[in-house]
Amino acid sequence: MSLFQIIFMIGQILILTLILIHNAPIMAWVERRGAALMQNRLGPNRIGPLGLFQSAADGIKFIFKEDQIPGHVSKFYYVLAPLVSLVPSFLTFAVIPYGSQIDLGGGQILKFQIADLNVGILFTLAIASLGVYGIIMSGWASNSKYAMMGSLRSSSQMISYELSMGLSLVGILMVFSSVKLGDIAAAQGQTLLQLGPIALPKWGIFIQPLGFLIFMTSVFAETNRLPFDLPEGESEIVAGYHLEYGSMKFAILQMAEYNNMLTGSGLLATLYFGGWQMLFPLGQIYSHLALSGMTADWVRVAFEIGSFTVKVLFFMWFFVWVRWTLPRFRYDQLMDLGWKVMLPLSLVNLFITAVMISYGVI
Amino acid sequence: MDISPFFFYLFGGLAILFSLFVVLKKSPVASAFSLVLVFFSFAAIYAVLGAHLIAALQVLVYAGAIMVLFIFVIMLLNQDVPSFDIARTHVVIRAVAVVATVALFGAFVWVFKNSALPAARGGFSASAIEMAGGNTVVVSELMFNQYILPFEVTSILLLAAMVGAVAIAKRQKSSAEVLREAAANQRKQAGRAAVGGAK
């Protein structure tokens, strides 16, 4: 590894960490403005242009608020819980590729991905499954009935939807025969169908439409977003697992949720929407520019990062969109959907995929 | 590979420390959380040894799925009874525990001293695995080609265990039990009606 590669690595870790830190305040603003848009009201519009600095004001408030610890909690675990949910939410983004690579020559390759592990997606799944401990711990340490109910709901929900999530992923892994996210994104650059001038790319969603639906629903359930936000269902159990939390600790729990959303969006984009593969006009523009040498590589990567960002932002907006469109499930409906619909469907998907691969259709 | 001994002893030490917590902590939930950290330290050791797939699976299966289920059950039962209290154990049991622990430790020492370690190494050195495309590829190729039969037999065994668990959980009530319950319900309703009438 040359010095440049090491600096590049540290640089991308720093930049991605900063993005993840700023993700929560920005998404909080998007969510509030989006809610207002859909409910025909204004939303925060007083501080800064379009109320953009509202989140900064909220952040300052969170930091300077009195940091109270209720008397009835189990102190050690109460303080530990927000951190336990925050750390995995940062780690999971490490294996997602947000651009392809640049060959500097002399065996030096710059990868636009923090860690290209050979376990790939399994790393994300493993670390993401640890995030639930933060929620369980916060509910248990709070020593309050509602918080306890919230964390019990959360753990059973996580267990139920992890199954269909993993099984729906197997379809994608079978098609691209790799667990490395970089390989999966690269393989989606091929053309699936040529309809005259329009080339349909070999994106995951065109090969695995059912798998995509199951995976997306499971991501909603795993991130505790509406319509699956039973763990914090305000109208039933007040605020669920973060009922006893205030000031920055509460903000950290929220941050973890938004970071999980970002990772979920990144996974959806990478597995089913071609990852860093260029979006429609960008690819054409790039081939028209007819650049060469180093410039071509950097422009290509810039276009790829742009495409990836657009895809991720779309899914972030999709999370908000769904939240203000669908009502919350009842608890038994949630369990029925997970075990009686999603799980059999993901098995069917797996079977169909296996048959199609063995007959050489895909 | 030159820094791995340090990490090995670090995570090995952590694993032992948290194993002690599992046994010594009074609250069952705290014990369970410590067990999660034990599994996590194991995963770290696997990762340091270069077995990334096993590390990921260790976290995914043990720390991420099985322990969540454990904690879920413990919290559902809401046990406030301390799981371990040395003052409540009988003297004989304490003595037996000490003797058994020392004997087990002795057995381990004896085995490691007398077995022919290091055993003969197979072809799977770290560099050979790297050449063949990494852990995940090598393990899955072996599992689905050479060892497909044991793999399938294991999954059938797990399936049988699962069916057994469901059968026990959904045990059919005998007809006598059903009748008895119906009678009890009727009595209860009659009693409630009588109370209501008195009001």
Side-chain angles (χ1 to χ4, degrees):
Chain A
M1 245 190 179
S2 69
L3 186 67
F4 180 64
Q5 271 172 313
I6 293 170
I7 292 171
F8 176 73
M9 179 60 86
I10 293 171
Q12 64 175 338
I13 292 174
L14 282 180
I15 289 173
L16 278 182
T17 310
L18 280 177
I19 289 175
L20 281 163
I21 287 171
H22 290 96
N23 170 41
I26 292 170
M27 275 314 292
W29 176 81
V30 170
E31 188 131 54
R32 296 173 72 183
R33 290 293 291 198
L37 189 74
M38 286 175 209
Q39 297 171 341
N40 204 11
R41 38 185 192 89
L42 286 172
N45 65 347
R46 294 288 145 160
I47 310 174
L50 295 172
L52 250 176
F53 300 147
Q54 178 68 45
S55 292
D58 284 347
I60 292 168
K61 186 198 78 174
F62 275 133
I63 291 170
F64 287 105
K65 214 170 175 180
E66 185 186 354
D67 192 21
Q68 258 202 338
I69 297 179
H72 55 80
V73 301
S74 155
K75 224 179 224 159
F76 177 70
Y77 292 103
Y78 176 83
V79 176
L80 192 63
L83 298 176
V84 172
S85 57
L86 185 70
V87 171
S89 75
F90 273 94
L91 286 180
T92 43
F93 208 85
V95 289
I96 297 179
Y98 54 91
S100 61
Q101 51 195 28
I102 290 181
D103 200 341
L104 294 178
Q108 289 188 39
I109 293 172
L110 291 186
K111 277 185 179 163
F112 288 82
Q113 175 185 19
I114 290 176
D116 189 19
L117 303 176
N118 68 40
V119 289
I121 180 90
L122 290 177
F123 173 83
T124 308
L125 290 183
I127 301 295
S129 66
L130 292 179
V132 69
Y133 285 114
I135 294 177
I136 293 180
M137 216 182 254
S138 60
W140 175 71
S142 293
N143 192 16
S144 128
K145 279 179 190 146
Y146 291 123
M148 184 75 161
M149 291 280 286
S151 64
L152 279 177
R153 283 177 170 199
S154 172
S155 47
S156 56
Q157 183 175 319
M158 289 272 188
I159 295 169
S160 312
Y161 281 84
E162 227 165 46
L163 283 174
S164 40
M165 184 166 165
L167 280 175
S168 63
L169 263 178
V170 174
I172 276 283
L173 302 184
M174 278 159 76
V175 172
F176 296 114
S177 57
S178 175
V179 287
K180 283 183 168 183
L181 286 167
D183 292 354
I184 292 176
Q188 292 179 59
Q190 297 157 3
T191 309
L192 185 67
L193 270 178
Q194 189 75 39
L195 304 166
I198 306 161
L200 199 62
K202 198 182 176 185
W203 283 2
I205 185 168
F206 299 125
I207 309 171
Q208 292 275 310
L210 184 60
F212 167 69
L213 271 182
I214 297 166
F215 186 76
M216 190 183 65
T217 316
S218 306
V219 166
F220 273 86
E222 294 282 311
T223 47
N224 295 324
R225 290 285 298 185
L226 263 148
F228 300 104
D229 72 332
L230 278 296
E232 49 190 283
E234 299 90 346
S235 53
E236 299 158 19
I237 49 174
V238 194
Y241 63 92
H242 50 56
L243 171 61
E244 306 287 338
Y245 282 85
S247 71
M248 203 57 205
K249 290 200 208 63
F250 170 76
I252 287 177
L253 283 170
Q254 292 293 308
M255 242 169 114
E257 189 182 315
Y258 282 118
N259 284 354
N260 286 334
M261 267 166 69
L262 192 68
T263 309
S265 306
L267 278 182
L268 281 165
T270 308
L271 293 170
Y272 294 98
F273 281 81
W276 41 259
Q277 299 290 347
M278 284 184 229
L279 282 170
F280 161 61
L282 285 179
Q284 277 73 1
I285 292 172
Y286 176 71
S287 50
H288 268 288
L289 286 176
L291 300 163
S292 63
M294 227 54 261
T295 342
D297 278 339
W298 285 102
V299 169
R300 175 173 52 86
V301 165
F303 277 14
E304 283 166 357
I305 294 175
S307 302
F308 180 75
T309 312
V310 168
K311 288 169 191 171
V312 170
L313 288 181
F314 168 74
F315 278 109
M316 294 302 274
W317 170 248
F318 189 72
F319 273 104
V320 174
W321 191 4
V322 168
R323 171 167 183 177
W324 301 105
T325 309
L326 293 179
R328 182 180 301 132
F329 276 111
R330 219 170 52 215
Y331 196 68
D332 57 321
Q333 288 172 334
L334 170 94
M335 282 294 148
D336 280 358
L337 182 72
W339 289 99
K340 295 181 186 165
V341 181
M342 307 266 285
L343 189 59
L345 271 183
S346 54
L347 287 170
V348 167
N349 179 50
L350 202 60
F351 180 72
I352 295 174
T353 312
V355 168
M356 283 176 84
I357 287 177
S358 80
Y359 280 97
V361 183
I362 37 177
Chain B
M1 279 293 149
D2 47 337
I3 44 167
S4 62
F6 169 73
F7 284 110
F8 176 78
Y9 286 116
L10 175 71
F11 290 115
L14 282 177
I16 294 172
L17 181 73
F18 288 118
S19 311
L20 283 176
F21 280 168
V22 174
V23 183
L24 297 175
K25 282 271 177 187
K26 286 201 170 146
S27 146
V29 177
S31 285
F33 283 143
S34 309
L35 193 54
V36 174
L37 287 172
V38 173
F39 287 142
F40 207 76
S41 314
F42 284 172
I45 291 175
Y46 296 143
V48 169
L49 292 175
H52 300 129
L53 178 67
I54 307 293
L57 290 182
Q58 170 85 12
V59 175
L60 186 63
V61 175
Y62 284 98
I66 293 182
M67 282 318 291
V68 173
L69 207 62
F70 266 48
I71 290 176
F72 178 69
V73 170
I74 292 172
M75 290 205 318
L76 206 62
L77 296 176
N78 210 359
Q79 275 236 335
D80 287 330
V81 188
S83 60
F84 177 76
D85 192 358
I86 198 155
R88 289 192 320 169
T89 50
H90 198 272
V91 178
V92 178
I93 294 175
R94 263 184 262 176
V96 168
V98 169
V99 170
T101 314
V102 171
L104 185 65
F105 187 70
F108 277 143
V109 171
W110 187 80
V111 166
F112 282 115
K113 281 215 140 181
N114 290 294
S115 64
L117 280 173
R121 282 165 185 258
F124 296 100
S125 64
S127 52
I129 288 174
E130 206 56 55
M131 287 286 288
N135 263 299
T136 318
V137 175
V138 172
V139 169
S140 37
E141 267 173 5
L142 278 180
M143 196 183 268
F144 288 102
N145 285 321
Q146 201 174 340
Y147 297 108
I148 183 75
L149 188 66
F151 177 74
E152 291 296 335
V153 170
T154 313
S155 43
I156 287 174
L157 193 67
L158 287 175
L159 183 67
M162 219 149 70
V163 171
V166 171
I168 292 171
K170 283 193 76 118
R171 189 170 57 90
Q172 288 279 317
K173 285 175 187 160
S174 68
S175 52
E177 274 175 326
V178 173
L179 282 176
R180 217 177 301 138
E181 258 176 38
N185 270 344
Q186 243 170 12
R187 268 202 303 281
K188 219 182 280 170
Q189 267 170 3
R192 213 175 288 146
V195 172
K199 271 181 187 166

